[in-house]
Amino acid sequence: MTVFNFYIFDRNGTCLYYAEWNRKKQSGISKEEEFKLMYGMIFSIKSFVNRISPTDMKDGFMNFKTTKYKLHFFETQSGLKFIMNTDLNVGSVKETLQLIYSSIYVEYVVKNPLCYLDQPITSELFKAKLDDFVRGLPIFPTSVS
Amino acid sequence: MRILLRVKIIFRIKSVVLLLQRGVNMATMADEVLFEFLHMELVSHIYRTASKDEKDHCISKLESLGFRVGQSLIERFTKETSRFKDELDTMKFMCKEFWNAIYKKQVDNLRTNHQGVYVLQDNRFKFLTQLSNGKQYMEAAPKYLAFPCGLIRGALSNLGINCIVTADVSAMPACKFQIQIQRV
């Protein structure tokens, strides 16, 4: 099991933070383009899922799989979007993403008066804490060939 | 009309119960966060509203705000304590009780040269723990320490000790407060 990369988007589609760990293949476009593409797709999937669902849903879109990876999605009430790509063996990481939000984002970004909430995160402390946290996850250690 | 009213009341009671169930640990958390956020806003407000030539006064403004708060706080905290034996006893009170009441922890290290200089060292100072754990944002540290400095000065002044309090940071989130007692 392994974690490939991780995005945080705000309500307006700005990419606040991006980190990657075991990503073997790059997208071949600039990071800004990739963020736009990612946000656009998430936005579309969300509205697609909501429209097509036969009954009312509680959580809405949570993850999708391809033959190579699984994308996990978590959105807070305030519209922050946490996206994590992992390999296929990983189960639900909803709690993990929630924990990243409540104990890392809130703690080191919201409570840091020098971090502006609508701009990409520059805090080294946040970066370090997140990196430590993800590396310590049980789903992180083994890399797939 | 009456039925509507009743429904409303029932709904209200329900939501209160729900809030209470959820709120026990949220409430204990909220009071600390309230102070933190208010302090953050206080600092940014003072800096935002200051004009170009007033910028130098921001620190002293924050400090005097802290001074006034410290004065009132110590009045409350010492309501039930017996009189302090000497200066060192007062300082110990500051390190334990005073710090605990405001920052929910004690000062990690207290040092003195027995000639009126005391150094209070806090290895994880509350206002700095979220900022950084090294040199980043170092230039912003002073504005978040002015209020706490005033807090100490105000508290001591109300206990009859006149002093100058300065803060010193070499690597966040550790911080040293130096208290220099003014003798007349």
Side-chain angles (χ1 to χ4, degrees), chain B residues 15 65 68:
Chain B
S15 60
L65 278 172
R68 182 67 185 79

Side-chain angles (χ1 to χ4, degrees), chain A residues 34-78:
Chain A
E34 189 187 301
F35 297 153
K36 273 186 206 159
L37 207 60
M38 177 57 98
Y39 187 80
M41 182 199 62
I42 293 293
F43 189 88
S44 310
I45 291 185
K46 253 180 61 190
S47 73
F48 173 80
V49 165
N50 280 327
R51 270 163 219 267
I52 236 68
S53 167
T55 53
D56 275 346
M57 288 179 301
K58 220 171 93 222
D59 289 319
F61 167 52
M62 292 184 70
N63 57 55
F64 73 72
K65 270 183 194 183
T66 71
T67 51
K68 293 289 179 196
Y69 71 97
K70 186 171 175 183
L71 179 144
H72 306 263
F73 172 73
F74 166 71
E75 185 172 13
T76 68
Q77 295 297 331
S78 55

Side-chain angles (χ1 to χ4, degrees), chain B residues 130-146:
Chain B
Q130 290 97 4
L131 285 187
S132 152
N133 59 348
K135 301 269 179 218
Q136 199 193 15
Y137 298 132
M138 196 61 118
E139 70 289 345
K143 49 178 172 173
Y144 295 99
L145 296 170

Side-chain angles (χ1 to χ4, degrees), chain A residues 10-45:
Chain A
D10 78 351
R11 199 171 40 228
N12 308 315
T14 316
C15 184
L16 297 182
Y17 191 72
Y18 173 74
E20 65 179 43
W21 290 276
N22 292 316
R23 187 177 179 178
K24 295 268 159 57
K25 183 174 162 286
Q26 295 297 327
S27 56
I29 48 178
S30 76
K31 276 280 169 304
E32 281 73 45
E33 301 245 344
E34 189 187 301
F35 297 153
K36 273 186 206 159
L37 207 60
M38 177 57 98
Y39 187 80
M41 182 199 62
I42 293 293
F43 189 88
S44 310
I45 291 185

Side-chain angles (χ1 to χ4, degrees), chain A residues 25 37 96 103 106 114:
Chain A
K25 183 174 162 286
L37 207 60
T96 309
S103 63
V106 171
L114 303 168

